[in-house]
Amino acid sequence: MTQFPIMGVIEDRIAQLGLVLPAPVSAPGGVRLPFRQVRVVGTIAYVAGHGPLAADGTLVEPGGKVGAEVTLDDAYGAARLTGLAMLSSLSRALGDLDRIAAWGRVFGMVNVAPGFDRMPEVINGFSDLILEVFGPETGAHARSAVGQAALPFGIPVEIEAEVHLRA
């Protein structure tokens, strides 16, 4: 299990909560990912879509559609794991999560079975994690939660974000 060095207040908070940031994503079956997980431009970090990862960087099971193969509770957990994957990418890109001044916008996508309409409850797994780690001021964010007919590799949740950095 990979753990990154504790550097600041946010990393200490992650450790206090008993959370572990996963290793970088391990693309399945020879898939090429020719983009950055985090792109910093000025004081904004654009975070590419992330899915739920195990500690070793592999995609977490169960995969599939929420409301069919994946329960609401499992999807909430997957959104929480997606948050940890995103924090791991941000930590590697920024060197210190204390550089985050504010979470700006979060876009959550849920792989849904026909008729499933509880996407906001799924993405709450991500939002709850960010608020636990960063607190109500820095962790507050604008958010969308939408349903999709499919997501890459059958993952139940994919989330992207824009994060504001300290100058």
Side-chain angles (χ1 to χ4, degrees), residues 98-111:
D98 288 346
R99 288 188 58 199
I100 296 172
W103 283 79
R105 185 185 74 84
V106 170
F107 183 66
M109 297 162 275
V110 182
N111 185 358

Side-chain angles (χ1 to χ4, degrees), residues 63-72 111-114 116:
K65 295 191 176 299
V66 182
E69 300 89 2
V70 180
T71 68
L72 178 59
N111 185 358
V112 297
F116 184 86

Side-chain angles (χ1 to χ4, degrees), residues 46 102-108 140-144 160-164:
Y46 298 94
W103 283 79
R105 185 185 74 84
V106 170
F107 183 66
H141 52 274
R143 187 187 89 180
S144 296
E160 62 181 47
E162 294 174 12
V163 178
H164 298 268

Side-chain angles (χ1 to χ4, degrees), residues 97-149:
L97 292 173
D98 288 346
R99 288 188 58 199
I100 296 172
W103 283 79
R105 185 185 74 84
V106 170
F107 183 66
M109 297 162 275
V110 182
N111 185 358
V112 297
F116 184 86
D117 64 358
R118 297 170 69 183
M119 291 75 77
E121 291 176 62
V122 170
I123 303 303
N124 282 350
F126 177 90
S127 293
D128 290 345
L129 172 76
I130 297 305
L131 290 167
E132 283 174 40
V133 170
F134 288 90
E137 193 58 36
T138 302
H141 52 274
R143 187 187 89 180
S144 296
V146 300
Q148 302 289 324

Side-chain angles (χ1 to χ4, degrees), residues 2 5 35 40 46 68 73 81 117 119 133 140 162 165:
T2 302
F35 57 89
V40 177
Y46 298 94
D73 287 343
L81 290 173
D117 64 358
M119 291 75 77
V133 170
E162 294 174 12
L165 306 175

